[in-house]
Amino acid sequence: QVQLVESGGGLVQAGGSLRLSCVASGTISKIRALAWYSQIPGKQRELVARITTDGSVNYDDSVKGRFTISRDKDKNTIYLQMNNLKPEDTAVYYCNAEMTTFSIANYYVLWGQGTQVTVSS
């Protein structure tokens, strides 16, 4: 099985930057995509950025142009570079892995523990 370990969260002033890291270990050959999600208390978890094994990426409109998702294949790690942070970016950020199965129509997901990002005004 795959394990996801996150780091890099913290407190930053508006306009500042953070870089989140997610290290994947275990049966990493089954991963088809990795992503970052955010969740505010009382709200549903939302997709922030996603990257597939072939390098395709997509972003939520609210972070496009400010956040960058990237992958280091040698380290089995993805990053979320967050620039020009805003108070509304404050949330718990989770690493997500999409895992393949024997069926092309089915997959399952794994989650990291989450890391708190707080942006002060």
Side-chain angles (χ1 to χ4, degrees):
Q1 190 59 274
V2 168
Q3 293 182 337
L4 305 173
V5 180
E6 300 155 322
S7 62
L11 175 65
V12 66
Q13 294 182 356
S17 299
L18 287 173
R19 190 175 78 159
L20 307 183
S21 300
C22 174
V23 180
S25 62
T27 315
I28 58 176
S29 62
K30 295 180 64 177
I31 299 175
R32 76 177 192 182
L34 291 162
W36 291 97
Y37 285 72
S38 65
Q39 187 168 30
I40 300 172
K43 303 294 183 180
Q44 66 182 230
R45 195 169 296 182
E46 298 182 344
L47 177 67
V48 176
R50 179 176 180 268
I51 185 167
T52 66
T53 54
D54 65 2
S56 298
V57 300
N58 64 278
Y59 299 92
D60 182 78
D61 288 340
S62 66
V63 306
K64 207 166 188 177
R66 299 189 297 120
F67 292 5
T68 302
I69 189 171
S70 61
R71 176 184 60 195
D72 187 329
K73 294 181 180 180
D74 293 336
K75 297 182 179 180
N76 298 316
T77 301
I78 61 165
Y79 304 93
L80 186 67
Q81 179 66 48
M82 303 185 292
N83 296 327
N84 192 24
L85 282 161
K86 303 175 180 179
E88 51 263 43
D89 296 321
T90 296
V92 178
Y93 285 76
Y94 296 89
C95 186
N96 166 278
E98 298 176 16
M99 311 297 296
T100 61
T101 69
F102 67 91
S103 174
I104 193 172
N106 296 318
Y107 70 97
Y108 64 97
V109 299
L110 298 172
W111 296 95
Q113 79 285 355
T115 183
Q116 177 71 47
V117 172
T118 302
V119 184
S120 62
S121 60

